[in-house]
Amino acid sequence: MALSVSPSLSFTQNFPRFVTSHSLPLSQCHPISFQTPPPKSIHYHPPRALREWQEYEEAVKKKDLATALRFLISIEKDNSDDSVEENGSLSTQSARSQIGDLGFFGGSVRDWGVLDTCLNADDMRLVGMAYEFLKAKGFLPNFGRFSSIVLDGARDIRPSVLKSSTGLEASKFSPKKWGLSGSSSVVLAGFLGGVSYLLQQGIDIRPQLAIILGLAFTDSIFLGGTCLAQISSYWPPYRRRILVHEAGHLLVAYLMGCPIRGVILDPIVAMQMGIQGQAGTQFWDENMNNEMAEGQLSGSTFDRYCMVLFAGTAAEALVYGDAEGGENDENLFRSISVLLQPPLSVAQMSNQARWSVLQSYNLLKWHRHAHRAAFKAMENGASLSVIIRKIEEAMSSNR
C-alpha cells in the first residue's frame, strides 16, 4: 500500500520526535558498509593513534559526531588494511555473527561513545551511519531485529480484540487529562482540600491563588506547560511514569531499526529543542525520510512510525495497567493521518491506533526485561550509549 502525502507536510514543525536531515540532497545518500577484522585479531596502535584516541574522546565530550565517526571509520580501515597485508586476504567472518562476546571484539568499548554525540547532530544520516557502523562491528545485534514485524498479524483490531489480547479495555490506552485520573487526581484533590481548609480557618489565600492560576495559564499558553512539567518531574511517581513511557519509545524504535538521536527528559531542554510535551525520544527513519521527499508513504513505513509513536502508551499500559501520557503522540498521529492522500477517516485512524499500540504492547511484553533495563539506566541518569548497551546485555542474557 502506498500513500501519497500532502506537500504542506513539514516534519521539523509538526513531528519533533521524527528528525529529518537537510544537510545534503537525498540523492547523495548511499548505503554504507564496513569491513571488520577477524573477531580475535589484536591490533597495535602506535603513539600517534593513542593521541588520536584522545582526540576521539574529546570529540565525544564535545558531542561532535562527524569527527568521532570519521576517526572510528579511519581506525577500522587501517585495521582492515593491516589484516590484508598480514594474511593476504581479509577474513569474511563478520563480527556481527559473534554475539556471544557482545561489544568487546573487533574494536574497543570506547566505540560506544559515538552514540553520545548523536544528540547535537544536525545531519541525521550521520546518526544512521553511527548505528550502522556499530552494528557492523557486532555491537548492536538487535538493532532492527524486528523491523519485519509490521507485516505480521491481522489488521482489523476491534476494541474486543485489543481486550482479549492484552486484558485491558481500549480506554486504558487513551491518554488522560491531568487531574482526572491516576496519581494526578490525588494531587488535585489534595490541593483543593487544602485550599478549602485554609478558607474555613479564615485564611484568605484567594489573591495568591489568583496569581498562581494566572502563572499556570501563562505557562500553558506560551510555554506549553513546560514550567508545570518541570515542577512535576521532581515528584518520584510521576517521573518514573515518564521514564517508563520514554523507555518504551526508545526500545521499540531500536528494535525496529530506527536510529535514536537521544532521549530528553528535562521539560525545559525539550522545549528548547522544539519537542512537544514534557519529554521526548528523537528517532529517525531513513525510509520515511526518503519516501516523504518523494511525496509517497508506504504502508509498512507508516506502520513502523505509528508503532514507535504509540510505544510509550503501550509501555505505560504494560507496567501500570493504564496510560496517562501520550497526548502529544496522539496529536502527531492525527496530524499525519489527515495529511495523507486520501486522509484516513476517523474509523481508520482508530483502527490504526489500536493495531499500532497492540503491536508495540506485544513487542514490549516479549522483551520486558530489555524495557526494564532501559528504564533502570534512564533512572540512573545514564547516557544513550549506556542505555543501548544495557538493552543489548538484557536481550543477550534472555535468549
Side-chain angles (χ1 to χ4, degrees):
M1 176 180 67
L3 306 170
S4 61
V5 188
S6 169
S8 62
L9 180 61
S10 172
F11 272 107
T12 55
Q13 296 178 357
N14 299 319
F15 310 110
R17 283 194 186 276
F18 180 88
V19 188
T20 59
S21 171
H22 302 283
S23 299
L24 293 172
L26 288 173
S27 60
Q28 296 183 15
C29 298
H30 299 286
I32 305 297
S33 61
F34 302 96
Q35 292 181 315
T36 59
K40 295 184 179 180
S41 297
I42 299 177
H43 302 288
Y44 170 74
H45 298 289
R48 182 181 65 84
L50 296 178
R51 184 174 65 253
E52 291 174 346
W53 273 109
Q54 293 176 349
E55 295 174 357
Y56 164 77
E57 292 174 353
E58 187 66 24
V60 171
K61 291 179 181 178
K62 294 180 178 179
K63 298 191 182 304
D64 184 352
L65 174 58
T67 300
L69 186 59
R70 187 184 306 114
F71 169 77
L72 291 178
I73 294 175
S74 67
I75 289 294
E76 187 66 19
K77 184 177 183 300
D78 290 343
N79 288 343
S80 299
D81 293 342
D82 291 343
S83 296
V84 172
E85 292 175 1
E86 293 173 4
N87 303 324
S89 62
L90 184 63
S91 172
T92 58
Q93 185 177 12
S94 173
R96 73 182 74 177
S97 67
Q98 306 298 317
I99 298 175
D101 297 325
L102 178 66
F104 294 98
F105 50 82
S108 167
V109 71
R110 288 178 294 185
D111 292 2
W112 286 88
V114 72
L115 295 179
D116 297 329
T117 68
C118 293
L119 187 59
N120 289 354
D122 294 324
D123 188 346
M124 287 304 299
R125 290 172 305 157
L126 286 178
V127 176
M129 287 174 60
Y131 279 83
E132 186 175 351
F133 174 83
L134 292 178
K135 183 175 177 64
K137 299 251 315 186
F139 293 153
L140 309 179
N142 292 291
F143 177 65
R145 181 181 169 194
F146 296 94
S147 58
S148 62
I149 195 174
V150 296
L151 304 176
D152 298 338
R155 298 294 312 186
D156 186 16
I157 306 298
R158 301 178 184 275
S160 58
V161 174
L162 187 62
K163 182 179 180 180
S164 63
S165 300
T166 65
L168 300 173
E169 297 285 351
S171 60
K172 296 294 185 180
F173 294 92
S174 300
K176 311 300 187 299
K177 294 294 184 181
W178 193 91
L180 299 181
S181 64
S183 56
S184 63
S185 62
V186 177
V187 175
L188 181 60
F191 174 75
L192 295 177
V195 171
S196 177
Y197 174 79
L198 292 175
L199 292 176
Q200 290 176 1
Q201 298 300 315
I203 302 176
D204 189 2
I205 61 169
R206 284 176 293 182
Q208 292 84 350
L209 184 60
I211 294 175
I212 293 174
L213 292 176
L215 292 174
F217 178 77
T218 302
D219 174 45
S220 64
I221 295 297
F222 297 102
L223 299 177
T226 299
C227 294
L228 179 60
Q230 184 72 49
I231 296 172
S232 301
S233 65
Y234 293 111
W235 190 35
Y238 183 79
R239 179 169 178 77
R240 281 196 294 271
R241 187 177 276 267
I242 291 177
L243 295 177
V244 167
H245 186 102
E246 296 305 326
H249 283 303
L250 187 149
L251 179 59
V252 172
Y254 182 76
L255 296 178
M256 298 296 292
C258 297
I260 298 128
R261 184 189 188 191
V263 182
I264 299 90
L265 300 175
D266 187 302
I268 293 180
V269 175
M271 179 191 68
Q272 293 172 343
M273 297 188 66
I275 298 176
Q276 299 176 13
Q278 301 154 4
T281 300
Q282 291 196 320
F283 65 98
W284 185 58
D285 188 329
E286 183 176 8
N287 290 336
M288 191 169 193
N289 187 74
N290 294 341
E291 291 176 13
M292 293 296 294
E294 298 173 356
Q296 297 288 327
L297 187 62
S298 65
S300 59
T301 299
F302 182 55
D303 286 342
R304 181 167 53 249
Y305 178 78
C306 292
M307 280 185 62
V308 179
L309 205 57
F310 284 102
T313 297
E316 285 192 60
L318 179 63
V319 175
Y320 294 104
D322 70 340
E324 291 186 4
E327 183 176 1
N328 285 290
D329 299 330
E330 284 198 352
N331 291 337
L332 292 176
F333 168 70
R334 293 192 189 97
S335 297
I336 192 172
S337 296
V338 299
L339 289 173
L340 298 174
Q341 298 296 332
L344 297 184
S345 65
V346 174
Q348 289 173 323
M349 281 192 286
S350 297
N351 185 72
Q352 178 70 33
R354 288 192 295 268
W355 180 89
S356 302
V357 79
L358 178 59
Q359 293 284 333
S360 295
Y361 183 93
N362 287 333
L363 190 59
L364 292 168
K365 184 178 179 181
W366 298 334
H367 304 287
R368 190 192 295 256
H369 51 284
H371 178 259
R372 179 167 180 79
F375 165 80
K376 294 296 293 183
M378 293 166 64
E379 187 178 38
N380 293 331
S383 63
L384 178 62
S385 64
V386 174
I387 296 172
I388 298 298
R389 284 187 62 187
K390 293 300 182 182
I391 289 175
E392 285 293 351
E393 290 171 2
M395 297 284 290
S396 178
S397 62
N398 282 271
R399 289 186 175 178

